Amino acid sequence: MKKELRIGMIGYQFMGKAHSHAYRDLPFYFDLEFQPVLKVISGRNDHAVKEAAERMGFEEYVTDWKKLIERTDIDIVDIVTPNHTHAEIAIAAAKAGKHIITEKPLALTLEEAKEMHEAVKENKVKHLICHNYRFAPAVQFAKKLIVEGRLGRLYHFRANYLQDFIMDPNFPLIWRLKKEISGSGALGDIGAHSIDLSRFLVGEIKEVVGMTETFIKERPSGEMAGGLKATADQSSLGEVTVDDAVAFISRFENGVLGTFEATRFAAGNKNKNKFEINGEKGSIRWDMEDMNRLDVYFRDDEAGLQGFRTINCTEEEHPYAGAFWPAGHIIGYEHTFINLFHAFLQGLDKEETAYPDFEDGVRNQAVLAAVEKSAETKQWIEIKV
Ligand SMILES: NC(=O)c1ccc[n+]([C@@H]2O[C@H](COP(=O)([O-])OP(=O)(O)OC[C@H]3O[C@@H](n4cnc5c(N)ncnc54)[C@H](O)[C@@H]3O)[C@@H](O)[C@H]2O)c1
């Protein structure tokens, strides 16, 4: 009999779907020592959470997350609710001795993020923050090339994370556009992923200077309705209190120069999460919208044959790719979560963490806080954790 890992999930929309799917698919692709069990799901609306439990395969549902955390038959609490709830739920779960998976950004503020980190350390529970893009095989392969020294000394990290789903001024004032619920706008929602990729691939950021803009200042009220869709109520307007777009530059501790842009106003770009890294021996670049491919350029290629070439990262040599299909049979967004959870669950009984944890969440939050402060003060800000 495999050891059961009983999941209690709080929230059930976009990320609820991505996470539930990953638990269900994990044993299908990986030979595991454990069996994830979708035990209980929590939501505030009885009818909606019942329907979600049936659709996603949870055994039971509750309408109060505190009841879920009190239960003795839950091993892992998975938080897929908006950002303002992460700290309270995670701290309560840590005190109850549960391992924790939470979505990004870790919290609303750096202070809150640190409290969460303290709570998991004090209560000796394992913790994961869902920076899933690290777990695309092409990104893992990029990391391997860097570690092997194939790019030599690194000079530049350049990232754009571009979306366009809120460009319509009639798109409603969803939770992602309210500071008290989301913490920040494009910065924390998508810029946080680019920051994580930079920390994973290049190293720690030392200082930043940046600017933010809110192009549409008022919107009709409304709510998220699955994925990045929303329903609007055109009868009342409210104020947008977060950034629509952010741009910042950074210096890394190892001397690399960073350039970051995150916006939801880049028409035509749906989930354009891109980076390029330039080093003394060559360059690599990746784009989530073509996530199986990694472009590489090596300066020591034969003269006349030099140029970017594209590797389809679906072969046994590419981390995680061998778990899925034969070479060339590509994988998608959902597989980044399967790989991420595999790394976390495999590490539950080990000291080392081969996945982003709350310490990464805190360091990421420190960069978010510094960018916000820089935009406010128009100054370079040093990252302080
Ligand atoms: N890793 C990624 O790529 C990624 C992508 C999208 C969202 N996220 C993160 O996942 C989290 C959830 O985002 P989402 O897109 O799934 O949101 P969503 O709006 O689609 O779903 C949020 C869920 O939380 C519930 N909820 C809302 N307020 C609550 C409250 N006060 N108490 C209890 N439940 C509440 C809602 O009913 C819903 O089930 C956020 O932290 C977000 O930043 C991460």
Side-chain angles (χ1 to χ4, degrees), residues 12-13 15 44 83 86 103-104 132 175-176 193:
Y12 52 82
Q13 273 201 45
M15 282 306 102
R44 294 160 301 171
N83 311 343
H86 294 181
E103 266 302 341
K104 44 50 56 179
N132 53 302
W175 68 259
R176 283 181 161 82
H193 279 306

Side-chain angles (χ1 to χ4, degrees), residues 23-42:
Y23 296 121
R24 291 175 64 142
D25 257 18
L26 254 173
F28 195 85
Y29 294 113
F30 291 94
D31 185 17
L32 307 169
E33 292 153 22
F34 50 82
Q35 176 67 38
V37 175
L38 299 182
K39 195 78 191 167
V40 189
I41 189 162
S42 166

Side-chain angles (χ1 to χ4, degrees), residues 261-278:
E261 184 189 17
T263 177
R264 295 151 168 167
F265 278 72
N269 295 280
K270 303 301 169 185
N271 197 38
K272 197 74 134 168
N273 174 6
K274 290 199 312 188
F275 66 76
E276 176 165 320
I277 299 173
N278 311 118

Side-chain angles (χ1 to χ4, degrees), residues 159-167 190 228 244 261-274 286-290:
N160 327 104
Y161 200 144
L162 315 176
Q163 297 184 334
D164 68 357
F165 74 102
I166 63 168
M167 286 189 73
I190 50 179
L228 293 176
D244 283 335
E261 184 189 17
T263 177
R264 295 151 168 167
F265 278 72
N269 295 280
K270 303 301 169 185
N271 197 38
K272 197 74 134 168
N273 174 6
K274 290 199 312 188
W286 179 76
D287 172 358
M288 175 59 200
E289 289 189 358
D290 193 9

Side-chain angles (χ1 to χ4, degrees), residues 69-345:
I69 283 174
E70 278 167 12
R71 289 176 64 140
T72 53
D73 59 352
I74 296 293
D75 302 302
I76 296 175
V77 170
D78 186 344
I79 308 168
V80 281
T81 44
N83 311 343
H84 69 311
T85 62
H86 294 181
E88 189 188 3
I89 300 174
I91 291 168
K95 285 183 179 158
K98 314 292 187 198
H99 302 307
I100 305 171
I101 293 178
T102 190
E103 266 302 341
K104 44 50 56 179
L106 191 56
L108 285 190
T109 62
L110 180 56
E111 288 64 37
E112 240 185 35
K114 286 186 191 169
E115 283 170 34
M116 292 166 76
H117 192 209
E118 281 311 309
V120 290
K121 282 192 289 183
E122 254 171 47
N123 292 285
K124 298 188 173 39
V125 297
K126 298 282 184 178
H127 37 103
L128 171 76
I129 180 165
C130 294
H131 283 297
N132 53 302
Y133 294 113
R134 282 191 192 195
F135 283 83
V139 174
Q140 292 277 324
F141 190 57
K143 170 82 176 177
K144 186 165 176 277
L145 294 179
I146 291 168
V147 170
E148 287 172 356
R150 299 292 293 261
L151 299 188
R153 179 181 163 193
L154 303 183
Y155 296 127
H156 293 286
F157 177 86
R158 199 171 296 110
N160 327 104
Y161 200 144
L162 315 176
Q163 297 184 334
D164 68 357
F165 74 102
I166 63 168
M167 286 189 73
D168 180 351
N170 290 320
F171 186 92
L173 193 59
I174 53 170
W175 68 259
R176 283 181 161 82
L177 302 178
K178 297 178 185 172
K179 190 170 178 61
E180 72 277 16
I181 301 182
S182 62
S184 63
L187 174 62
D189 199 28
I190 50 179
H193 279 306
S194 299
I195 293 166
D196 183 69
L197 288 174
S198 79
R199 294 187 53 255
F200 178 57
L201 295 165
V202 172
E204 295 302 337
I205 297 174
K206 184 169 178 274
E207 55 185 355
V208 294
V209 63
M211 59 182 173
T212 55
E213 185 55 69
T214 304
F215 300 116
I216 309 279
K217 308 237 188 288
E218 280 193 330
R219 290 176 180 273
S221 58
E223 287 189 2
M224 296 300 298
L228 293 176
K229 291 190 291 242
T231 48
D233 162 12
Q234 303 293 346
S235 60
S236 64
L237 284 180
E239 192 193 349
V240 176
T241 46
V242 297
D243 56 284
D244 283 335
V246 58
F248 65 97
I249 55 173
S250 71
R251 196 180 296 279
F252 287 74
E253 282 174 3
N254 56 11
V256 171
L257 299 187
T259 315
F260 295 78
E261 184 189 17
T263 177
R264 295 151 168 167
F265 278 72
N269 295 280
K270 303 301 169 185
N271 197 38
K272 197 74 134 168
N273 174 6
K274 290 199 312 188
F275 66 76
E276 176 165 320
I277 299 173
N278 311 118
E280 64 178 330
K281 296 186 188 169
S283 295
I284 51 178
R285 61 188 185 203
W286 179 76
D287 172 358
M288 175 59 200
E289 289 189 358
D290 193 9
M291 63 166 276
N292 287 280
R293 296 177 187 277
L294 186 72
D295 288 345
V296 299
Y297 175 95
F298 294 118
R299 293 183 62 230
D300 61 2
D301 277 353
E302 194 184 325
L305 285 177
Q306 286 184 355
F308 270 100
R309 57 188 135 108
T310 299
I311 302 172
N312 194 344
C313 295
T314 54
E315 312 213 23
E316 295 280 341
E317 290 73 14
H318 303 120
Y320 289 98
F324 299 103
W325 309 111
H329 297 65
I330 57 173
I331 59 167
Y333 177 62
E334 66 272 35
H335 297 82
T336 61
F337 290 95
I338 297 174
N339 296 340
L340 173 73
F341 289 176
H342 179 258
F344 180 62
L345 299 179

